[in-house]
Amino acid sequence: MAPHRRKGAGNSTALLVRRSTGIREAGTLIRHNMKVLRGIMLQDNRGFIKAWSKTSKSTITYENGKIYFENYQNCYSCVHSAPQALYKLPKRSKLEKFEDALLCQSPLDRTLAFPSDHKPSLLALTANNWLYRLSAETGEELQKVYLSSNHKFRYLGWDVSQEMFYVKSVQNKETSLERQAGITRDTVMHLAIFHVFPLQIVGILEISKKVFGNGVTDVVLSQGVLVVSYSNKSVKLYSFERIIQSYLTEKLTLGKRSSLLEGKTVGDAPFGIPVNIQITDYPPVLFEVSCANNCVQIGGYPWHYIYTPPHKKDKGTHHICSLMDSTMAVNGIQNMNCCSLESDGIFFHPDDSGRIIHVGPANINILKILQMTSGLQSKVVEDFSMKTHRNNNPTSQVTVTSSGRTVKRRFHQLDDDPDQETFRMVEYEDELDLLAVVVTNGEEGEGRAQIRLHDNQSGQLLRTVDLVEPWDETYRHELFFDKDTIVHIEQKNTNFCCHVYKLQADRK
């Protein structure tokens, strides 16, 4: 008999007692643990205290409880009360340096061939076209694959829903001499697609002008769809599954021989991996839209897409339309009418609720899509919103000097002016179901930042965290909120600095 499920919110002590007595509800242990952590975090005697800082001459990266320095060579773990060195890789030559990296977490719902496959690993791409799989805990080399001696690969990207990742080559461009001679290159770039769990090659395909047309500027793989961007501001989507079904010439296996390599082993140097997805004609287009900055987002329930039309009159507006028939939703044009250096941002909520987050300098609107009963058309409505605390009295545009001379201001104050309270970014902590909103304020002359933790369902403000270090808006900032850890990475001129805050008992 299943244990009785008490309605209402239980406190942390009650949850710990139930767990200690052996009472379990299938599939809910992690959720209960996160409820305990969330309850502790919101207690009055708890707070986030700055525990650690470290500077670097090179870019600093944070990913899932680990901080990487020196181009992924030096790794620190954030599990403890202060970050501790986890491993340091041997120094690498310029040819062997890491160009890009991805952190790979294995699934929990099935058994894999090797014990190392169940542990987190770092996928790293080197300048000389090697793909490494390293242990995320020790840096030990678990696997390596040579990609190609013919194409220069440089970028890594995830297609998480399909448990795949892709390696993208640099774009082939004609030199000035080739243009003068009238020589054109048909091949734009190459994509190498891999399955993970375990690491296995799907294939390499060529993006050519003959197949995809002229003006290709970028290609990515997302949610099983090949997304191609063009210089004429259009974006086209193609089914990757259909491409595989129609154009795969040979199924490849890493470490096995291939007829495409004349019997040589796939993934070994210098042969690498052959192009085994040969697209010979124009594949059908699933979806096409013209948009500013080649940016279109798909999500929501039912499926919708967000884009900004590539016209001057539409600058600053975001259109929300049905993916089924491109019908504009009621209230589907969102415009904050803000005057700022940084444009407002809009994206589908990462909690898979189908909601939309619209972030501006003075407002954050959480929107949801409703299906109207009158027909197929949908409607965009506000779920909740957040606002900054500002002096709403408009600044006078006319100033009278001490001598009596009247001076008229030439410019209005920008909505994201550092001297006033301004929203800078929003992070979602999925395990605690909290929104972390970064707010800056430079009223006292030095920019300061505060993190406001809001309930993701209601928007209620639950607590605030003041960052100790100043926040200079002229430099680049990144912020990560990960359970009991807050990581702030900032760039100052040519230096980088990482600040770590940990949840501790309040020292007051």
Side-chain angles (χ1 to χ4, degrees), residues 29 33 46 52 116 135 150 178 282 292 315 333 381 491 496:
L29 182 57
N33 288 345
R46 299 281 174 172
W52 189 79
S116 64
S135 167
N150 300 319
E178 287 175 333
Y282 191 65
K315 185 178 180 180
I333 298 180
V381 298
Q491 180 180 357
F496 298 83

Side-chain angles (χ1 to χ4, degrees), residues 111-253:
T111 302
L112 301 177
F114 301 100
S116 64
D117 292 340
H118 287 279
K119 296 180 180 180
S121 56
L122 187 72
L123 301 169
L125 173 67
T126 65
N128 56 352
N129 273 359
W130 281 94
L131 179 69
Y132 284 88
R133 188 169 71 90
L134 308 176
S135 167
E137 303 300 328
T138 64
E140 175 192 1
E141 180 186 311
L142 302 175
Q143 196 173 356
K144 69 175 183 177
V145 177
Y146 187 66
L147 298 176
S148 175
S149 56
N150 300 319
H151 323 301
K152 170 57 181 171
F153 288 95
R154 183 167 290 176
Y155 312 101
L156 293 173
W158 272 118
D159 186 356
V160 177
S161 64
Q162 306 298 310
E163 292 189 354
M164 294 192 300
F165 70 94
Y166 59 91
V167 193
K168 183 165 57 176
S169 74
V170 296
Q171 188 169 344
N172 293 322
K173 295 181 179 179
E174 293 94 358
T175 64
S176 58
L177 291 177
E178 287 175 333
R179 286 194 294 269
Q180 290 174 9
I183 301 173
T184 60
R185 296 190 182 187
D186 181 54
T187 302
V188 180
M189 64 180 72
H190 288 82
L191 284 186
I193 298 94
F194 290 82
H195 272 301
V196 288
F197 323 128
L199 179 66
Q200 191 53 259
I201 180 67
V202 176
I204 292 185
L205 65 87
E206 178 185 88
I207 305 298
S208 67
K209 297 176 184 177
K210 179 181 178 181
V211 171
F212 293 97
N214 293 320
V216 174
T217 57
D218 197 14
V219 179
V220 298
L221 190 65
S222 177
Q223 297 180 342
V225 172
L226 193 70
V227 184
V228 183
S229 301
Y230 293 84
S231 56
N232 64 357
K233 299 182 179 180
S234 69
V235 175
K236 296 180 181 179
L237 274 57
Y238 304 86
S239 168
F240 183 66
E241 181 182 5
R242 183 162 182 172
I243 289 174
I244 292 294
Q245 291 173 349
S246 303
Y247 306 109
L248 183 69
T249 58
E250 181 183 328
K251 190 173 181 179
L252 302 175
T253 303

Side-chain angles (χ1 to χ4, degrees), residues 25 27 34 62 80 107 117 159 166 214 266 268 310 318 331 359-360 379 452 497:
E25 296 177 29
M34 291 302 104
Y62 175 84
H80 306 283
D117 292 340
D159 186 356
Y166 59 91
N214 293 320
V266 177
D268 282 0
H318 306 281
N331 197 30
V359 184
K379 183 178 182 180
R452 297 176 182 173
C497 190

Side-chain angles (χ1 to χ4, degrees), residues 289-303:
V289 65
S290 295
C291 49
N293 303 317
N294 293 110
C295 181
V296 59
Q297 301 178 68
I298 298 175
Y301 181 80
W303 290 101

Side-chain angles (χ1 to χ4, degrees), residues 23-89:
I23 297 176
R24 300 276 202 285
E25 296 177 29
T28 62
L29 182 57
I30 293 178
R31 181 163 51 86
H32 281 328
N33 288 345
M34 291 302 104
K35 282 185 178 180
V36 171
L37 179 58
R38 175 170 163 146
I40 293 172
M41 180 184 299
L42 300 178
Q43 289 175 355
D44 292 337
N45 64 339
R46 299 281 174 172
F48 282 91
I49 308 299
K50 188 171 182 177
W52 189 79
S53 288
K54 183 176 173 63
T55 58
S56 174
K57 292 290 186 182
S58 58
T59 304
I60 303 171
T61 306
Y62 175 84
E63 185 73 44
N64 197 41
K66 295 179 177 61
I67 307 171
Y68 296 95
F69 294 85
E70 300 172 20
N71 197 27
Y72 295 95
Q73 301 297 296
N74 199 357
C75 177
Y76 283 76
S77 170
C78 289
V79 172
H80 306 283
S81 57
Q84 296 184 5
L86 200 57
Y87 63 81
K88 187 172 184 177
L89 298 178

